[in-house]
Amino acid sequence: MTRKPAQSDWHPATWQAQTVSQHPLYPDAAAVESVVASLSRLPPIVTSGEILTLKRQLAEAQRGERFLLQGGDCAENFDNCTSDAIANKLKILLQMSVVLLYGLKKPIIRVGRLAGQYAKPRSADSETRDGVTLPSYRGDLINRHPFTMADRVPDPSLMLRGYERAALTLNFVRALVDGGFADLHHPENWDLAFVHHSPVAEHYHQIVHAISESLDFFELVSGQTATSGTERVDFYASHEGLHLPYEQAQTRFLEKRRGWFNLSTHFPWIGMRTADVSGAHVEYYRGIQNPIAIKIGPAMSAEWLQELIAILNPQGEPGRLTLICRFGAKKVEQGLPAMIQAVRATGSPVLWSCDPMHGNTESTATGVKTRRFDNILAEVQSSFRVHRDMGSYLGGVHVELTGEDVTECTGGARGLTETDLARAYKSTVDPRLNYEQALELALSIAHARGQPVGSQSTR
Ligand code: PEP
Ligand code: CO
């Protein structure tokens, strides 16, 4: 049998004794237990070796040697588990990473919000329409989106369907990456058909051309093929580890590593609404060996953050903790410096990342949830500036995006307006950058931080 972990007061279910926020009320507790038991017997989705490699890379990013690109849907949908949707998401992330590699001159750690991003925190437990009140939709792992009682009642069997979809998604991503899809010698593999007509296409192609030339030059002078790190890129999975029965079921003690690992994903994060130091989520996360992230919003205080660091990374282990700040364009300059100072006072290493999406959500006059590209860009740029001014390193961005041609965020080079939102609004939760806006964001970061490409400005 498995040996006790270092912290003998912890096991994957100790969270159940704490207050758990953002969890649904299942009508049948026995059915939940039975699903958790089934999930616990199924093979893992990722391996501990991959998790530890990622943790080493995140430690390098903390030292300023790498940059983290994390992105994907706000919520994956079971129906959208299709080859096109997955390949397009991988393509846009690869395109962005090539632009960032070129602009920042650092290896990029690529992490998808995928293969498990199925559970969502909600601001209200219920939703009322025309006098009818039903449980809120909490993501496909919990219940279904249509507004009927049968769909909205939490259904534990959806955890099994989510596990299967996560495995199918990551299996396809791995097959594409292993098959050379991500080879830097062949960036034409990632050309999304519509990119050719994009106002930012030329800029992107200049970068790809410059990288191809550099690779050719390296191969010519060194007499070898630039395989290591170029032919094969690593790609990791992440999701908000919100639904603890699902996370618990995939948490295993590995004798050879002498520790517990969440094997449902490489890099789970704690959402802003579930970061209470005495809550169930923090209790669960303190016992796993994965690198983890915490979302930080305007309500976070210096003391709270320091307590989280003391609980979640008591040994100050490099690579363990990433802080994803999401203040909003208007609040970042005021809120971020205190967070940087608070962390500094602990002496513990963290990786700073910027989520320019969640602090910039607004509703149009007709009640459509959207985000303005200008605000997203402004928050990223302000974050870079604050870190630079304080002698700190912003080592990552975290974005909600899709490889599809949706119209959910306004602005960008094509100047999408509120009227355009009706055309292709597909998200069931938060508005995402479309492929073109996502690429433009990467180009702007590269342009502002590194060497300008061509004479064209991206703004
Ligand atoms: C999210 O990342 O989709 C999310 C809900 O973020 P936050 O916890 O920062 O609000
Ligand atoms: Co979101």
Side-chain angles (χ1 to χ4, degrees), residues 72-75 113 117 120-121 240 269 273 295 355 357-358 361 369 371 398 400 427 429-432:
D73 296 303
C74 179
R113 279 176 68 115
Q117 179 53 18
K120 296 307 299 173
E240 178 174 350
W269 77 85
R273 296 170 183 80
K295 291 285 203 91
D355 164 359
M357 313 299 294
H358 288 88
T361 314
K369 234 187 191 190
R371 292 162 173 156
H398 179 115
E400 287 186 342
S427 175
V429 214
D430 288 340
R432 303 159 295 178

Side-chain angles (χ1 to χ4, degrees), residues 119-151:
K120 296 307 299 173
R122 300 317 304 255
S123 46
D125 286 340
S126 60
E127 182 183 345
T128 302
R129 289 190 204 170
D130 300 328
V132 179
T133 300
L134 295 177
S136 294
Y137 168 65
R138 291 185 173 274
D140 284 2
L141 197 66
I142 316 295
N143 56 4
R144 299 174 181 86
H145 191 250
F147 195 70
T148 72
M149 190 47 128
D151 287 307

Side-chain angles (χ1 to χ4, degrees), residues 38-357:
S38 303
L39 270 176
S40 307
R41 284 191 298 271
L42 290 169
I45 291 178
V46 304
T47 68
S48 59
E50 294 165 344
I51 289 172
L52 293 176
T53 301
L54 173 62
K55 204 194 248 181
R56 271 194 300 278
Q57 293 183 359
L58 291 167
E60 289 167 11
Q62 289 175 341
R63 298 197 298 267
E65 296 158 14
R66 286 179 183 267
F67 190 83
L68 167 69
L69 169 65
Q70 186 174 16
D73 296 303
C74 179
E76 294 176 279
N77 295 123
F78 290 176
D79 282 351
N80 214 25
C81 182
T82 64
S83 52
D84 277 357
I86 297 165
N88 284 342
K89 219 177 299 171
L90 191 58
K91 283 177 186 181
I92 184 63
L93 286 166
L94 290 169
Q95 288 184 336
M96 289 175 82
S97 74
V98 131
V99 169
L100 293 172
L101 167 73
Y102 183 80
L104 304 177
K105 306 268 177 289
K106 292 183 201 293
I108 308 299
I109 308 170
R110 302 159 182 91
V111 179
R113 279 176 68 115
L114 51 70
Q117 179 53 18
Y118 296 122
K120 296 307 299 173
R122 300 317 304 255
S123 46
D125 286 340
S126 60
E127 182 183 345
T128 302
R129 289 190 204 170
D130 300 328
V132 179
T133 300
L134 295 177
S136 294
Y137 168 65
R138 291 185 173 274
D140 284 2
L141 197 66
I142 316 295
N143 56 4
R144 299 174 181 86
H145 191 250
F147 195 70
T148 72
M149 190 47 128
D151 287 307
R152 290 294 176 92
V153 170
D155 174 356
S157 75
L158 294 174
M159 284 191 263
L160 285 162
R161 304 290 85 78
Y163 162 84
E164 290 154 5
R165 295 259 188 326
L168 292 170
T169 302
L170 201 58
N171 179 57
F172 187 47
V173 167
R174 288 185 195 285
L176 286 172
V177 170
D178 288 347
F181 182 77
D183 186 347
L184 268 186
H185 292 86
H186 297 287
E188 69 277 6
N189 284 347
W190 332 323
D191 260 5
L192 296 153
F194 21 75
V195 163
H196 295 292
H197 311 290
S198 159
V200 295
E202 193 193 328
H203 199 172
Y204 170 69
H205 284 117
Q206 281 172 0
I207 290 182
V208 167
H209 183 69
I211 290 179
S212 279
E213 291 210 319
S214 307
L215 280 180
D216 289 349
F217 180 71
F218 170 81
E219 292 177 357
L220 188 72
V221 297
S222 69
Q224 47 179 288
T225 310
T227 46
S228 63
T230 57
E231 198 167 75
R232 227 210 85 109
V233 292
D234 292 324
F235 196 90
Y236 299 98
S238 71
H239 64 252
E240 178 174 350
L242 178 69
H243 195 48
L244 296 176
Y246 180 81
E247 307 302 329
Q248 174 195 326
Q250 282 281 311
T251 303
R252 313 278 158 87
F253 186 73
L254 301 184
E255 198 68 51
K256 66 175 176 181
R257 312 255 188 224
R258 305 183 63 198
W260 294 93
F261 285 78
N262 179 338
L263 298 177
S264 77
T265 192
H266 299 111
F267 188 21
W269 77 85
I270 305 179
M272 195 190 64
R273 296 170 183 80
T274 49
D276 185 346
V277 284
S278 54
H281 289 82
V282 170
E283 169 60 20
Y284 168 76
Y285 276 82
R286 84 181 166 92
I288 55 170
Q289 299 297 307
N290 303 55
I292 61 171
I294 315 172
K295 291 285 203 91
I296 309 284
M300 178 64 65
S301 69
E303 300 70 34
W304 180 2
L305 182 54
Q306 288 172 340
E307 254 187 283
L308 284 170
I309 292 173
I311 297 169
L312 295 168
N313 194 15
Q315 312 296 333
E317 185 197 3
R320 160 75 168 164
L321 212 52
T322 295
L323 302 180
I324 307 170
C325 293
R326 28 89 80 231
F327 285 95
K330 290 196 183 70
K331 295 189 178 158
V332 61
E333 304 239 0
Q334 203 209 325
L336 183 54
M339 298 296 111
I340 297 176
Q341 270 157 3
V343 172
R344 234 173 225 167
T346 68
S348 201
V350 302
L351 174 62
W352 292 100
S353 178
C354 168
D355 164 359
M357 313 299 294

